[in-house]
Amino acid sequence: DGGITQSPKYLFRKEGQNVTLSCEQNLNHDAMYWYRQDPGQGLRLIYYSQIVNDFQKGDIAEGYSVSREKKESFPLTVTSAQKNPTAFYLCASSWGETQYFGPGTRLLVL
Amino acid sequence: GDSVTQMEGPVTLSEEAFLTINCTYTATGYPSLFWYVQYPGEGLQLLLKATKADDKGSNKGFEATYRKETTSFHLEKGSVQVSDSAVYFCALSDRSTDKLIFGTGTRLQVFP
């Protein structure tokens, strides 16, 4: 089945630790996106990539980093510089303007 | 900049009631408009979309019409079910970047 997978479903981060969230798609989409969702709020764009080896900052990129070495993969690293990382993280991909979302990763701070 | 405004929730309805969730937008161009649905603990699923004025998107009994004159894209369903309980997001696309701009979401609760 074609789709977007995110892992893990839950992730725990200790103070000062970097953690990486995985996002993989087998839809052959060129563009991929990372969003952050906080309770009662809409989605905010962290980073996006329209092509392999290229990516741009979104609205809230501080404290995050990404890479796009393969078309299928767009991992997000939450660095220790992100002081309030507790949120639900959603990955999406698109061909054209319609975006399709993965199931999400919930990040919690210990 | 471009923006989307949705009615605040929660919207609480009895099963088989009529649903309307209001969505208005501000955009400099002619964006495409989307409704996404999010069930508890899950990602967003595309519900329907419309790409130009007067287009009607429809899916699973839900429908919305792209109204350029009122800059609106209200979501409607004639008879809701308990299984429709979820959060609904209205969004528009920036055609130059394919970035989506989301509203804050509206929670729908349907009781039997």
Side-chain angles (χ1 to χ4, degrees), chain A residues 9 33 35 37 40-43 45 48 50 59 88 90 96-103, chain B residues 32 34 36 38 41-44 46 49 51 89 93 95-100 102-104:
Chain A
K9 189 176 175 85
Y33 308 79
Y35 293 91
Q37 186 179 27
Q41 297 190 31
L43 279 67
L45 183 65
Y48 64 103
Q50 294 179 305
D59 301 318
F88 191 49
L90 288 159
E97 61 186 356
T98 302
Q99 293 186 19
Y100 300 90
F101 286 80
Chain B
S32 292
F34 303 82
Y36 284 85
Q38 185 178 34
E42 298 183 9
L44 274 66
L46 178 66
K49 72 175 187 180
T51 58
F89 290 93
S93 70
R95 287 191 191 273
S96 63
T97 64
D98 285 340
K99 289 166 63 176
L100 285 181
F102 288 88
T104 53

Short mmCIF file of all heavy atoms in Angstrom, two decimals, chain A residues 9 33 35 37 40-43 45 48 50 59 88 90 96-103, chain B residues 32 34 36 38 41-44 46 49 51 89 93 95-100 102-104:
data_model
loop_
_atom_site.label_atom_id
_atom_site.label_comp_id
_atom_site.label_asym_id
_atom_site.label_seq_id
_atom_site.Cartn_x
_atom_site.Cartn_y
_atom_site.Cartn_z
N LYS A 9 5.64 6.17 17.21
CA LYS A 9 4.34 6.79 17.48
C LYS A 9 4.45 7.72 18.68
O LYS A 9 3.84 8.78 18.72
CB LYS A 9 3.30 5.71 17.75
CG LYS A 9 1.87 6.23 17.84
CD LYS A 9 0.91 5.07 18.01
CE LYS A 9 -0.51 5.57 18.23
NZ LYS A 9 -1.20 5.85 16.99
N TYR A 33 6.90 17.79 4.00
CA TYR A 33 6.68 18.87 4.96
C TYR A 33 6.69 18.32 6.38
O TYR A 33 6.28 17.18 6.61
CB TYR A 33 5.30 19.51 4.74
CG TYR A 33 5.02 19.95 3.33
CD1 TYR A 33 4.64 19.01 2.36
CD2 TYR A 33 5.13 21.28 2.94
CE1 TYR A 33 4.38 19.41 1.05
CE2 TYR A 33 4.87 21.67 1.65
CZ TYR A 33 4.50 20.73 0.71
OH TYR A 33 4.24 21.13 -0.58
N TYR A 35 5.13 19.54 10.21
CA TYR A 35 4.27 20.46 10.96
C TYR A 35 4.33 20.10 12.44
O TYR A 35 4.50 18.96 12.83
CB TYR A 35 2.82 20.34 10.51
CG TYR A 35 2.54 20.79 9.11
CD1 TYR A 35 2.61 19.90 8.05
CD2 TYR A 35 2.17 22.10 8.85
CE1 TYR A 35 2.32 20.30 6.75
CE2 TYR A 35 1.89 22.52 7.56
CZ TYR A 35 1.96 21.61 6.52
OH TYR A 35 1.67 22.03 5.24
N GLN A 37 1.83 20.45 15.87
CA GLN A 37 0.47 20.72 16.32
C GLN A 37 0.45 20.75 17.84
O GLN A 37 0.84 19.79 18.50
CB GLN A 37 -0.49 19.65 15.80
CG GLN A 37 -1.95 19.95 16.12
CD GLN A 37 -2.89 18.89 15.58
OE1 GLN A 37 -2.53 17.74 15.39
NE2 GLN A 37 -4.14 19.29 15.32
N GLY A 40 -5.42 22.43 20.71
CA GLY A 40 -6.33 23.54 20.43
C GLY A 40 -5.83 24.51 19.39
O GLY A 40 -6.45 25.57 19.19
N GLN A 41 -4.74 24.16 18.72
CA GLN A 41 -4.21 25.07 17.69
C GLN A 41 -4.15 24.38 16.35
O GLN A 41 -4.24 23.16 16.23
CB GLN A 41 -2.80 25.52 18.09
CG GLN A 41 -2.76 26.33 19.38
CD GLN A 41 -1.40 26.95 19.60
OE1 GLN A 41 -0.69 27.28 18.65
NE2 GLN A 41 -1.04 27.12 20.85
N GLY A 42 -3.99 25.19 15.34
CA GLY A 42 -3.81 24.65 13.99
C GLY A 42 -2.40 24.13 13.82
O GLY A 42 -1.62 24.02 14.76
N LEU A 43 -2.07 23.78 12.59
CA LEU A 43 -0.75 23.26 12.28
C LEU A 43 0.19 24.40 11.91
O LEU A 43 -0.18 25.31 11.18
CB LEU A 43 -0.84 22.28 11.10
CG LEU A 43 -1.29 20.87 11.42
CD1 LEU A 43 -2.73 20.81 11.87
CD2 LEU A 43 -1.08 19.96 10.22
N LEU A 45 4.01 25.21 10.24
CA LEU A 45 5.02 24.62 9.36
C LEU A 45 6.42 24.82 9.94
O LEU A 45 6.81 25.95 10.24
CB LEU A 45 4.91 25.25 7.98
CG LEU A 45 5.83 24.71 6.90
CD1 LEU A 45 5.51 23.24 6.59
CD2 LEU A 45 5.71 25.55 5.64
N TYR A 48 10.12 22.53 5.04
CA TYR A 48 9.59 21.83 3.89
C TYR A 48 10.68 21.67 2.85
O TYR A 48 11.66 22.42 2.83
CB TYR A 48 8.35 22.51 3.31
CG TYR A 48 8.58 23.90 2.75
CD1 TYR A 48 8.65 24.11 1.38
CD2 TYR A 48 8.66 25.00 3.59
CE1 TYR A 48 8.83 25.38 0.86
CE2 TYR A 48 8.84 26.27 3.09
CZ TYR A 48 8.92 26.47 1.72
OH TYR A 48 9.10 27.73 1.23
N GLN A 50 11.07 20.74 -1.37
CA GLN A 50 10.37 20.56 -2.64
C GLN A 50 11.13 19.62 -3.57
O GLN A 50 10.58 19.19 -4.60
CB GLN A 50 10.13 21.91 -3.31
CG GLN A 50 9.14 22.78 -2.50
CD GLN A 50 8.90 24.13 -3.13
OE1 GLN A 50 9.84 24.87 -3.38
NE2 GLN A 50 7.64 24.47 -3.36
N ASP A 59 7.63 28.43 9.31
CA ASP A 59 7.34 29.54 10.22
C ASP A 59 7.98 29.40 11.59
O ASP A 59 8.16 30.38 12.31
CB ASP A 59 5.81 29.65 10.39
CG ASP A 59 5.11 29.89 9.06
OD1 ASP A 59 5.63 30.69 8.26
OD2 ASP A 59 4.07 29.25 8.82
N PHE A 88 2.61 17.33 19.02
CA PHE A 88 2.31 16.27 18.05
C PHE A 88 2.91 16.72 16.72
O PHE A 88 2.64 17.82 16.26
CB PHE A 88 0.79 16.11 17.96
CG PHE A 88 0.31 14.90 17.21
CD1 PHE A 88 0.83 13.64 17.47
CD2 PHE A 88 -0.68 15.00 16.26
CE1 PHE A 88 0.37 12.52 16.80
CE2 PHE A 88 -1.15 13.89 15.57
CZ PHE A 88 -0.62 12.64 15.84
N LEU A 90 3.59 16.17 12.70
CA LEU A 90 2.98 15.57 11.52
C LEU A 90 3.85 15.81 10.30
O LEU A 90 4.30 16.92 10.04
CB LEU A 90 1.59 16.18 11.28
CG LEU A 90 0.52 15.74 12.28
CD1 LEU A 90 -0.62 16.72 12.30
CD2 LEU A 90 0.02 14.35 11.92
N GLY A 96 1.97 18.35 -6.47
CA GLY A 96 1.01 19.42 -6.68
C GLY A 96 0.63 20.02 -5.34
O GLY A 96 1.38 19.97 -4.38
N GLU A 97 -0.56 20.56 -5.26
CA GLU A 97 -0.93 21.34 -4.07
C GLU A 97 -1.64 20.52 -2.99
O GLU A 97 -1.85 21.02 -1.90
CB GLU A 97 -1.80 22.52 -4.48
CG GLU A 97 -3.09 22.10 -5.14
CD GLU A 97 -3.88 23.29 -5.68
OE1 GLU A 97 -3.45 24.43 -5.47
OE2 GLU A 97 -4.91 23.06 -6.32
N THR A 98 -2.00 19.28 -3.26
CA THR A 98 -2.72 18.49 -2.25
C THR A 98 -1.72 17.73 -1.39
O THR A 98 -0.90 16.97 -1.89
CB THR A 98 -3.68 17.51 -2.91
OG1 THR A 98 -4.60 18.24 -3.73
CG2 THR A 98 -4.45 16.73 -1.86
N GLN A 99 -1.80 17.94 -0.07
CA GLN A 99 -0.88 17.29 0.86
C GLN A 99 -1.57 16.09 1.50
O GLN A 99 -2.75 16.14 1.84
CB GLN A 99 -0.41 18.29 1.91
CG GLN A 99 0.47 19.38 1.33
CD GLN A 99 1.07 20.28 2.38
OE1 GLN A 99 1.15 19.92 3.56
NE2 GLN A 99 1.53 21.45 1.96
N TYR A 100 -0.77 15.05 1.73
CA TYR A 100 -1.22 13.82 2.38
C TYR A 100 -0.37 13.62 3.62
O TYR A 100 0.86 13.76 3.57
CB TYR A 100 -1.11 12.64 1.42
CG TYR A 100 -1.95 12.84 0.18
CD1 TYR A 100 -1.41 13.47 -0.95
CD2 TYR A 100 -3.28 12.44 0.14
CE1 TYR A 100 -2.19 13.69 -2.07
CE2 TYR A 100 -4.06 12.66 -0.98
CZ TYR A 100 -3.51 13.28 -2.07
OH TYR A 100 -4.28 13.51 -3.19
N PHE A 101 -1.02 13.26 4.72
CA PHE A 101 -0.36 13.25 6.01
C PHE A 101 -0.09 11.85 6.52
O PHE A 101 -0.84 10.90 6.26
CB PHE A 101 -1.23 14.00 7.04
CG PHE A 101 -1.20 15.48 6.85
CD1 PHE A 101 -1.97 16.09 5.88
CD2 PHE A 101 -0.37 16.27 7.64
CE1 PHE A 101 -1.93 17.46 5.69
CE2 PHE A 101 -0.33 17.65 7.47
CZ PHE A 101 -1.11 18.24 6.48
N GLY A 102 0.98 11.75 7.31
CA GLY A 102 1.26 10.54 8.06
C GLY A 102 0.46 10.52 9.36
O GLY A 102 -0.27 11.46 9.67
N PRO A 103 0.63 9.45 10.16
CA PRO A 103 -0.16 9.28 11.38
C PRO A 103 0.35 10.10 12.56
O PRO A 103 -0.35 10.19 13.58
CB PRO A 103 -0.03 7.78 11.68
CG PRO A 103 1.27 7.41 11.07
CD PRO A 103 1.43 8.26 9.84
N SER B 32 -6.52 27.31 -3.93
CA SER B 32 -7.38 26.15 -3.75
C SER B 32 -7.74 26.06 -2.28
O SER B 32 -6.99 26.51 -1.41
CB SER B 32 -6.67 24.88 -4.20
OG SER B 32 -6.47 24.87 -5.59
N PHE B 34 -9.37 23.58 1.00
CA PHE B 34 -9.40 22.19 1.44
C PHE B 34 -10.12 22.08 2.78
O PHE B 34 -10.09 23.01 3.61
CB PHE B 34 -7.97 21.65 1.66
CG PHE B 34 -7.08 21.73 0.45
CD1 PHE B 34 -6.44 22.91 0.13
CD2 PHE B 34 -6.88 20.61 -0.35
CE1 PHE B 34 -5.61 22.99 -0.99
CE2 PHE B 34 -6.06 20.68 -1.45
CZ PHE B 34 -5.43 21.87 -1.78
N TYR B 36 -9.78 19.17 5.84
CA TYR B 36 -9.15 17.96 6.36
C TYR B 36 -9.87 17.56 7.64
O TYR B 36 -10.40 18.41 8.36
CB TYR B 36 -7.68 18.21 6.69
CG TYR B 36 -6.75 18.25 5.49
CD1 TYR B 36 -6.56 19.44 4.78
CD2 TYR B 36 -6.06 17.11 5.08
CE1 TYR B 36 -5.69 19.48 3.69
CE2 TYR B 36 -5.20 17.15 3.99
CZ TYR B 36 -5.02 18.33 3.31
OH TYR B 36 -4.17 18.37 2.23
N GLN B 38 -9.39 15.19 11.30
CA GLN B 38 -8.43 14.52 12.18
C GLN B 38 -9.19 13.78 13.28
O GLN B 38 -9.85 14.40 14.11
CB GLN B 38 -7.47 15.52 12.80
CG GLN B 38 -6.38 14.87 13.65
CD GLN B 38 -5.40 15.87 14.22
OE1 GLN B 38 -5.77 16.99 14.56
NE2 GLN B 38 -4.15 15.48 14.32
N GLY B 41 -5.87 11.17 18.00
CA GLY B 41 -4.59 10.49 17.98
C GLY B 41 -4.06 10.15 16.60
O GLY B 41 -3.06 9.42 16.48
N GLU B 42 -4.69 10.66 15.55
CA GLU B 42 -4.27 10.32 14.19
C GLU B 42 -3.81 11.55 13.41
O GLU B 42 -3.91 12.69 13.87
CB GLU B 42 -5.43 9.66 13.43
CG GLU B 42 -5.89 8.36 14.06
CD GLU B 42 -6.99 7.69 13.24
OE1 GLU B 42 -7.27 8.15 12.12
OE2 GLU B 42 -7.55 6.70 13.74
N GLY B 43 -3.27 11.32 12.22
CA GLY B 43 -2.92 12.41 11.33
C GLY B 43 -4.13 12.97 10.64
O GLY B 43 -5.27 12.55 10.90
N LEU B 44 -3.91 13.93 9.74
CA LEU B 44 -5.01 14.54 9.01
C LEU B 44 -5.32 13.75 7.74
O LEU B 44 -4.42 13.25 7.06
CB LEU B 44 -4.64 15.98 8.60
CG LEU B 44 -4.90 17.08 9.63
CD1 LEU B 44 -4.01 16.93 10.83
CD2 LEU B 44 -4.74 18.45 8.99
N LEU B 46 -7.42 14.07 4.06
CA LEU B 46 -8.10 14.96 3.14
C LEU B 46 -9.56 14.56 3.04
O LEU B 46 -9.88 13.41 2.73
CB LEU B 46 -7.45 14.91 1.76
CG LEU B 46 -8.11 15.77 0.69
CD1 LEU B 46 -7.98 17.25 1.01
CD2 LEU B 46 -7.48 15.47 -0.67
N LYS B 49 -11.88 18.99 -1.50
CA LYS B 49 -11.19 20.20 -1.94
C LYS B 49 -11.93 20.84 -3.11
O LYS B 49 -12.76 20.19 -3.76
CB LYS B 49 -9.76 19.90 -2.33
CG LYS B 49 -9.60 19.13 -3.62
CD LYS B 49 -8.12 18.98 -3.97
CE LYS B 49 -7.95 18.37 -5.35
NZ LYS B 49 -6.50 18.23 -5.71
N THR B 51 -10.93 23.83 -6.32
CA THR B 51 -9.78 24.55 -6.88
C THR B 51 -10.12 25.89 -7.51
O THR B 51 -9.22 26.68 -7.80
CB THR B 51 -9.08 23.68 -7.93
OG1 THR B 51 -10.03 23.34 -8.95
CG2 THR B 51 -8.53 22.41 -7.31
N PHE B 89 -10.39 20.75 9.88
CA PHE B 89 -9.51 21.87 9.56
C PHE B 89 -9.80 22.36 8.15
O PHE B 89 -9.82 21.57 7.19
CB PHE B 89 -8.03 21.45 9.61
CG PHE B 89 -7.52 21.17 10.98
CD1 PHE B 89 -7.54 19.89 11.51
CD2 PHE B 89 -7.00 22.19 11.76
CE1 PHE B 89 -7.07 19.62 12.78
CE2 PHE B 89 -6.51 21.94 13.03
CZ PHE B 89 -6.55 20.65 13.54
N SER B 93 -4.28 26.88 -0.11
CA SER B 93 -2.94 26.66 -0.64
C SER B 93 -2.41 27.93 -1.26
O SER B 93 -3.13 28.67 -1.94
CB SER B 93 -2.94 25.55 -1.68
OG SER B 93 -3.60 25.98 -2.84
N ARG B 95 -0.47 29.08 -4.09
CA ARG B 95 -0.16 28.42 -5.35
C ARG B 95 1.31 28.54 -5.76
O ARG B 95 1.84 27.70 -6.49
CB ARG B 95 -1.05 28.96 -6.46
CG ARG B 95 -2.50 28.51 -6.37
CD ARG B 95 -3.24 28.88 -7.63
NE ARG B 95 -4.67 28.71 -7.51
CZ ARG B 95 -5.31 27.58 -7.77
NH1 ARG B 95 -4.63 26.51 -8.14
NH2 ARG B 95 -6.62 27.48 -7.65
N SER B 96 1.98 29.59 -5.28
CA SER B 96 3.36 29.78 -5.70
C SER B 96 4.31 28.83 -4.98
O SER B 96 5.39 28.52 -5.50
CB SER B 96 3.79 31.22 -5.45
OG SER B 96 3.73 31.52 -4.07
N THR B 97 3.93 28.36 -3.79
CA THR B 97 4.83 27.50 -3.01
C THR B 97 4.22 26.15 -2.67
O THR B 97 4.92 25.28 -2.17
CB THR B 97 5.21 28.17 -1.68
OG1 THR B 97 4.03 28.31 -0.88
CG2 THR B 97 5.85 29.53 -1.91
N ASP B 98 2.92 25.95 -2.94
CA ASP B 98 2.18 24.76 -2.53
C ASP B 98 2.15 24.59 -1.01
O ASP B 98 1.88 23.51 -0.51
CB ASP B 98 2.72 23.49 -3.19
CG ASP B 98 2.30 23.40 -4.66
OD1 ASP B 98 1.33 24.09 -5.03
OD2 ASP B 98 2.94 22.67 -5.42
N LYS B 99 2.44 25.65 -0.27
CA LYS B 99 2.31 25.58 1.18
C LYS B 99 0.85 25.72 1.54
O LYS B 99 0.10 26.47 0.92
CB LYS B 99 3.13 26.71 1.83
CG LYS B 99 4.62 26.51 1.73
CD LYS B 99 5.39 27.77 2.06
CE LYS B 99 5.20 28.23 3.45
NZ LYS B 99 6.07 29.42 3.76
N LEU B 100 0.44 24.99 2.59
CA LEU B 100 -0.93 25.08 3.09
C LEU B 100 -0.98 26.00 4.31
O LEU B 100 -0.09 25.96 5.16
CB LEU B 100 -1.45 23.70 3.50
CG LEU B 100 -1.84 22.74 2.37
CD1 LEU B 100 -2.35 21.43 2.97
CD2 LEU B 100 -2.88 23.35 1.48
N PHE B 102 -3.47 26.73 7.48
CA PHE B 102 -4.58 26.07 8.17
C PHE B 102 -5.32 27.02 9.09
O PHE B 102 -4.73 27.92 9.69
CB PHE B 102 -4.06 24.90 9.01
CG PHE B 102 -3.62 23.72 8.21
CD1 PHE B 102 -2.31 23.63 7.74
CD2 PHE B 102 -4.50 22.69 7.94
CE1 PHE B 102 -1.90 22.53 7.00
CE2 PHE B 102 -4.10 21.59 7.21
CZ PHE B 102 -2.81 21.52 6.73
N GLY B 103 -6.60 26.78 9.25
CA GLY B 103 -7.35 27.35 10.34
C GLY B 103 -7.02 26.62 11.63
O GLY B 103 -6.26 25.63 11.63
N THR B 104 -7.59 27.05 12.74
CA THR B 104 -7.25 26.48 14.04
C THR B 104 -8.00 25.19 14.33
O THR B 104 -7.74 24.55 15.34
CB THR B 104 -7.53 27.48 15.17
OG1 THR B 104 -8.88 27.94 15.05
CG2 THR B 104 -6.59 28.68 15.08
#
